Amino acid sequence: MDDARAIHMLNDVAEAVYTDARLLPVAAFVIGEIQDKFAEHDVPSKEQLTSALSYVADATSITTSGVTDFQAPLELWERATSGGEWLPMTRMDNLPAPLESPLDFLGMWEWSNDTLRVPACTTARSIYCRYRRQIPYPTDVAVDKVTSDTYYWAVVAGIAFYSLGGTERTERERTVGAIYTNRLLTAIRIASKDRQSISTRQQSARAEQRRPITISST
């Protein structure tokens, strides 16, 4: 995590205290928080379309393991494996009980426990899915930068902010916290620039109280 901006905010040029081993778990937490904020505001740039997925006859789920950045499904379509028109599927909160005589199409789906569940049908189907992408997590000390034009600055400031937590450097923590909030708002604004207005919340890592922040895009 050899980023000069984060090192400056942490005031640890020698990286004696804030080592990679200490900062990487914080980075993973910050990226998860940013992911949640993007999802909260339905950031369109974090959505993607899969290539055709495969449904195996009589199965009760559709595997998404081949989509490495898959976080959650948003819309599904289906068609016969031989081709034809893509038909929209209906999202359900709770799938109904299986039919006594299964149909030859799926028709509906449910996202439950990180599983794309469907009613069993008698034929194999091709599935097309629009999904929310997962922001990649840093997983190794060799990954010293997370490159993104919309959220990289927020990641850097967030790492510094949460790393300062509990160090009794309250003035610096407040300053860096304000930088993180502004960078996060900017990332959301850039990614949601087609929206008239958005709102977000500033959350402390050590308190449950939240102060709402509202900004308007220009």
Side-chain angles (χ1 to χ4, degrees):
M1 304 300 293
D2 300 322
D3 189 284
R5 304 161 196 84
I7 291 170
H8 172 73
M9 284 187 277
L10 292 168
N11 195 23
D12 184 22
V13 176
E15 300 180 58
V17 176
Y18 298 103
T19 61
D20 286 341
R22 181 170 178 175
L23 294 181
L24 279 166
V26 180
F29 173 83
V30 171
I31 290 175
E33 182 168 80
I34 294 173
Q35 176 82 59
D36 290 342
K37 290 298 181 184
F38 278 17
E40 179 181 329
H41 295 292
D42 296 322
V43 172
S45 67
K46 298 307 170 192
E47 297 178 4
Q48 186 62 276
L49 290 169
T50 65
S51 55
L53 305 175
S54 297
Y55 168 79
V56 180
D58 300 320
T60 57
S61 64
I62 299 170
T63 180
T64 58
S65 58
V67 186
T68 57
D69 61 350
F70 192 93
Q71 185 192 30
L74 299 172
E75 292 181 280
L76 267 71
W77 297 263
E78 65 174 314
R79 74 176 184 185
T81 55
S82 58
E85 181 182 359
W86 288 101
L87 302 175
M89 297 172 62
T90 301
R91 181 167 189 166
M92 307 290 291
D93 291 331
N94 292 286
L95 285 177
L99 296 174
E100 182 175 346
S101 298
L103 303 175
D104 60 355
F105 65 93
L106 296 168
M108 61 187 74
W109 61 278
E110 176 188 5
W111 181 241
S112 176
N113 295 323
D114 292 329
T115 301
L116 190 51
R117 299 180 60 239
V118 291
C121 83
T122 58
T123 60
R125 306 287 283 171
S126 293
I127 306 296
Y128 202 45
C129 176
R130 185 171 67 87
Y131 67 98
R132 182 178 297 117
R133 294 194 294 125
Q134 173 70 50
I135 293 176
Y137 276 52
T139 57
D140 190 275
V141 292
V143 185
D144 60 357
K145 279 183 170 46
V146 180
T147 54
S148 171
D149 58 348
T150 58
Y151 68 88
Y152 174 66
W153 298 109
V155 170
V156 170
I159 291 171
F161 171 60
Y162 284 111
S163 295
L164 288 168
T167 62
E168 298 183 357
R169 299 163 71 178
T170 54
E171 183 176 350
R172 179 174 290 273
E173 184 182 352
R174 283 195 295 270
T175 299
V176 175
I179 294 172
Y180 175 43
T181 297
N182 289 335
R183 291 296 187 182
L184 180 54
L185 291 173
T186 299
I188 294 172
R189 189 201 302 270
I190 292 172
S192 303
K193 60 186 176 181
D194 60 326
R195 303 180 186 279
Q196 294 300 311
S197 65
I198 56 177
S199 63
T200 187
R201 295 177 181 269
Q202 179 181 15
Q203 179 178 359
S204 169
R206 289 156 302 284
E208 293 297 327
Q209 294 182 344
R210 296 184 176 185
R211 178 171 60 87
I213 303 173
T214 302
I215 62 175
S216 298
S217 59
T218 56

